Amino acid sequence: MELLAPAGSMDKLKMALLYGADAVYLGGKSFGLRAFSDNFSLEEMKEAVSYAHSLGKHIYVTVNIFPHNADLQGLPAYLQSLAAIPVDAILIADPGIFSMARQLVPELPIHISTQANTTNWASVKFWHDNGAKRVVMAREVSLKDVQEIHDKVPVELEGFVHGAMCISYSGRCLLSNYFTQNRDSNRGQCVQCCRFKYNIVEEKRPGQYFPVVEDERGTYIFNSKDLCLLPYLPELYASGLCSLKIEGRMKSIHYVATVVKVYRQALDAYEVDPEHFTVLPEWLEELEKISHRPYTRGFSVSRPTEVDQVYSHASNTQTYEFIGVVRSYDAARHIAWIEQRNHFKVGQAVEFLQPQGHLVRHVITYLTDEKGTEITTAPHPRQLVGLYLDTPLEPWSMMRRKAAAHA
């Protein structure tokens, strides 16, 4: 089973691979559906592919917009550049781009994006017969249907297991385009209108806003909970999926590291002893520490109902704050060198999530700046701070503390 993680930047890519992902998917500066993430230039993609391949891992690039005529002008050269790097596969949703890729870069494996809303075995067979290596299932497909597709078509199947859920069918949304003057969700510029709070305005009474009340909890009628299928890992294996996909190219490195490590541990535990596999409470606790909405199982084993929406608020919640990244550990002096990402100080209780090792909890007793001068606080962004700690820490460990509301 492949664990596939998002990479919205080089830091996130490295974090995903170091914390246990087998592959990452990323977007270029154009032709992908996450225009507001950092994304990768062609030169950065070369670096990313070289780094991933040095670890025996893979890079998949999204080319999954629904293009207008003008979008096609630079596409042939872009596809040829991706093949030359070479990336390991491209994700495509549009039949025109698919046809162009098959003609121009037939050696480049194609994965059919979830945006193509593939929901049945006949559609999967169509893509397979025309040369697709893998099909990413629409999020509306149940695991029972995935299993039937797997039994009928000899093609790789990939499915989302964790992250934000789009309210529109397979992510095909017109709201962003309509409300924000050509910020087209299907061309990578979604502004998440589904998370807005809505009221009704009657035509002859402009300026008078009437609340939309679905029930007593509120009015965020398009605000889906986040997907979490960790408790259904045995069912995911049984369905015939070959790759489990995490959403979140625009999420933080803390999000990527935490989710990847939890699913890595769970997959490893299942594959060692599937008969006695159980979801550990500490895994679920870790998934509560990241920024997220309440969790849902989506369409995996049943149809969503009203309980799968969040009615009270549009923002995410999290129990821990990400405050630093470990750059190195000086074993002789017992000093961990931390790149500051949020204010921290002496006396605070913190913990370190390591790429491979166990979780380390610590109360800060001593800090120093780069020159060796003792300090009591680390207030400056990206400041390099020495922290005294007896336990050695791995580079790229995540430093965090309880959020104020949960302290």
Side-chain angles (χ1 to χ4, degrees):
M1 180 71 80
E2 176 184 83
L3 181 59
L4 177 57
S9 67
M10 190 65 71
D11 273 359
K12 294 173 189 177
L13 179 144
K14 291 180 178 179
M15 196 65 66
L17 296 178
L18 289 171
Y19 275 76
D22 299 301
V24 298
Y25 62 100
L26 55 88
K29 297 296 184 181
S30 54
F31 305 112
L33 284 178
R34 290 294 181 269
F36 302 133
S37 64
D38 292 339
N39 291 325
F40 289 70
S41 67
L42 290 173
E43 284 302 315
E44 289 168 333
M45 282 189 205
K46 290 179 184 178
E47 180 185 348
V49 168
S50 176
Y51 179 75
H53 287 180
S54 73
L55 301 176
K57 302 188 178 187
H58 300 109
I59 301 289
Y60 309 141
V61 176
T62 60
V63 192
N64 59 346
I65 64 168
F66 289 101
H68 292 230
N69 289 334
D71 297 316
L72 297 177
Q73 293 175 7
L75 187 58
Y78 183 66
L79 292 172
Q80 290 167 335
S81 296
L82 295 180
I85 286 176
V87 303
D88 296 293
I90 51 177
L91 286 99
I92 293 175
D94 177 73
I97 296 180
F98 179 88
S99 176
M100 191 178 294
R102 292 294 294 148
Q103 293 174 24
L104 293 172
V105 287
E107 74 280 12
L108 192 55
I110 296 177
H111 297 178
I112 302 303
S113 169
T114 190
Q115 295 294 124
N117 58 282
T118 309
T119 58
N120 62 79
W121 66 262
S123 293
V124 172
K125 185 176 185 301
F126 167 84
W127 289 118
H128 172 60
D129 289 349
N130 282 279
K133 180 182 179 182
R134 179 183 296 185
V135 178
V136 186
M137 293 285 86
R139 302 191 198 198
E140 295 79 16
V141 178
S142 69
L143 292 179
K144 181 180 178 182
D145 282 348
V146 172
Q147 186 169 5
E148 182 177 354
I149 293 168
H150 171 71
D151 292 342
K152 288 181 179 291
V153 188
V155 68
E156 294 182 3
L157 301 177
E158 176 181 307
F160 279 93
V161 294
H162 199 94
M165 294 280 282
C166 181
I167 196 66
S168 296
Y169 191 77
S170 287
R172 292 187 172 195
C173 181
L174 299 177
L175 285 174
S176 185
N177 200 344
Y178 181 80
F179 281 121
T180 57
Q181 296 184 340
N182 296 320
R183 299 278 282 274
D184 191 342
S185 302
N186 302 310
R187 296 164 80 188
Q189 297 180 312
C190 177
V191 293
Q192 299 198 34
C193 298
C194 55
R195 310 293 182 185
F196 295 174
K197 187 171 184 177
Y198 288 94
N199 289 279
I200 293 175
V201 177
E202 198 273 327
E203 180 182 8
K204 295 182 180 179
R205 286 182 278 185
Q208 293 188 42
Y209 297 90
F210 300 93
V212 182
V213 181
E214 187 155 351
D215 63 17
E216 68 278 1
R217 290 174 293 184
T219 61
Y220 294 94
I221 55 178
F222 302 136
N223 194 23
S224 172
K225 293 181 178 179
D226 285 357
L227 184 66
C228 177
L229 296 187
L230 184 68
Y232 298 92
L233 202 57
E235 290 86 347
L236 291 165
Y237 272 86
S239 72
L241 291 171
C242 75
S243 179
L244 305 185
K245 189 171 193 173
I246 298 165
E247 181 276 338
R249 276 191 283 152
M250 295 177 67
K251 301 289 181 64
S252 69
I253 60 173
H254 177 234
Y255 169 94
V256 172
T258 303
V259 178
V260 166
K261 179 158 188 179
V262 167
Y263 278 84
R264 177 79 274 151
Q265 291 176 323
L267 265 64
D268 290 348
Y270 179 86
E271 292 181 2
V272 167
D273 188 4
E275 186 176 347
H276 299 98
F277 174 79
T278 185
V279 175
L280 299 181
E282 54 261 39
W283 295 340
L284 298 174
E285 182 183 345
E286 279 296 307
L287 294 178
E288 291 297 328
K289 294 178 181 180
I290 59 172
S291 177
H292 70 288
R293 301 175 186 88
Y295 289 125
T296 174
R297 60 192 184 184
F299 292 81
S300 59
V301 295
S302 64
R303 304 289 292 181
T305 68
E306 67 278 1
V307 302
D308 294 288
Q309 308 297 317
V310 183
Y311 300 100
S312 57
H313 59 278
S315 59
N316 290 2
T317 60
Q318 64 186 91
T319 58
Y320 275 70
E321 298 171 329
F322 165 51
I323 58 175
V325 180
V326 176
R327 291 306 182 193
S328 63
Y329 182 80
D330 184 339
R333 299 172 57 201
H334 302 280
I335 295 288
W337 288 101
I338 314 292
E339 182 182 296
Q340 191 259 41
R341 297 296 181 91
N342 204 337
H343 179 277
F344 58 87
K345 60 184 179 181
V346 170
Q348 289 183 334
V350 298
E351 61 182 39
F352 296 90
L353 180 72
Q354 302 189 87
Q356 303 298 323
H358 61 279
L359 188 70
V360 175
R361 292 185 172 89
H362 177 70
V363 175
I364 301 174
T365 59
Y366 176 84
L367 296 174
T368 178
D369 64 16
E370 284 188 82
K371 298 178 180 179
T373 304
E374 185 175 353
I375 57 177
T376 59
T377 183
H380 305 301
R382 303 276 180 162
Q383 177 182 8
L384 195 63
V385 179
L387 183 152
Y388 180 82
L389 183 73
D390 281 331
T391 305
L393 295 175
E394 301 166 14
W396 294 93
S397 295
M398 297 281 96
M399 179 181 176
R400 62 195 181 193
R401 63 166 174 250
K402 278 191 176 181
H406 299 273

